[in-house]
Amino acid sequence: MKYLITGKNGQLAKAFARRFEAGSIEYLAPDESRCDITSAATIGELVASYRPGIIINCAAYNLVDPAEQEREKAFAVNAEGPRILAEAASRQGAHLVHFGSDYVFDGTKENGLYREVDPENPLNEYGRSKGAGEKAVREVLGSRSLVLRLSWVFGEGKQNFIAKLLDWSRGQEFLKVACDEFSVPTWTATVVDV
């Protein structure tokens, strides 16, 4: 089985690459110039030539606040990109693993954690873009897709809550952190295990 990993420079893609290398698993994780998920032609050629059995989409626009002003960019990467990957996977007969977000929910559920069947109601452009990507993947591939909703992913790199918290702690005597946000911090190695 061959794997194609998108988003090579992200913390999740790096975790998959480390695990695959350690297990001598055949994979390809091209840089964005060869694997721009917003380009149907680029992805079509890449998938047709490499012929993966599983595509793991680790590419994402994950800047929640800037997504409000950069809506087009967020939707290109988080919604259109997954659709393009799903269509290429469909033509190849491959499966697609896609990572969604808990930002598809509005946070008003009072009892228990959100479940897959709970209604989506994103409050921002980031959440809407991630929800649109999840929907596109399910529509195109159905049971040949796996959509995992993650929150507060942390691993190698600085673009995560844990790294930011450590950085903030070095420069301030007191930390001010929102106390009304609830999430499930998720280590990249755990995602790879699952």
Side-chain angles (χ1 to χ4, degrees):
M1 175 73 64
K2 296 193 304 186
Y3 295 83
L4 173 64
I5 303 171
T6 66
K8 174 184 180 175
N9 295 318
Q11 57 190 353
L12 190 53
K14 288 177 182 178
F16 274 105
R18 276 193 303 277
R19 182 68 55 85
F20 288 176
E21 287 170 10
S24 299
I25 296 169
E26 187 175 354
Y27 78 95
L28 178 66
D31 62 42
E32 189 177 336
S33 66
R34 290 187 45 228
C35 189
D36 176 2
I37 69 167
T38 66
S39 169
T42 300
I43 294 301
E45 290 173 20
L46 177 62
V47 170
S49 65
Y50 184 63
R51 303 174 50 89
I54 297 177
I55 300 170
I56 302 174
N57 182 24
C58 297
Y61 177 98
N62 60 7
L63 304 173
V64 176
D65 293 332
E68 296 301 308
Q69 285 73 45
E70 297 181 350
R71 181 185 188 282
E72 293 78 21
K73 187 173 183 180
F75 271 82
V77 176
N78 293 341
E80 188 57 26
R83 177 178 296 284
I84 289 169
L85 287 169
E87 290 169 348
S90 179
R91 287 190 299 275
Q92 175 60 37
H95 294 266
L96 174 64
V97 177
H98 175 71
F99 299 99
S101 171
D102 63 340
Y103 274 82
V104 300
F105 300 118
D106 60 15
T108 61
K109 185 172 183 176
E110 293 186 18
N111 296 314
L113 297 174
Y114 279 99
R115 298 177 37 209
E116 294 86 352
V117 296
D118 288 330
E120 298 176 17
N121 187 29
L123 299 177
N124 55 31
E125 295 301 326
Y126 172 76
R128 284 187 271 282
S129 72
K130 292 299 284 183
E134 290 180 14
K135 182 179 179 186
V137 167
R138 288 190 306 265
E139 285 177 350
V140 173
L141 284 174
S143 65
R144 285 207 341 262
S145 66
L146 176 61
V147 176
L148 301 170
R149 287 189 179 132
L150 306 177
S151 60
W152 289 5
V153 176
F154 66 96
E156 180 184 331
K158 302 255 183 210
Q159 184 58 34
N160 64 67
F161 180 73
I162 303 298
K164 288 178 184 176
L165 189 63
L166 289 171
D167 190 45
W168 297 334
S169 71
R170 290 184 192 100
Q172 301 175 27
E173 185 177 352
F174 300 100
L175 287 176
K176 293 182 180 181
V177 180
C179 64
D180 62 346
E181 291 186 45
F182 298 90
S183 192
V184 181
T186 310
W187 186 31
T188 54
T190 301
V191 176
V192 172
D193 287 343
V194 170

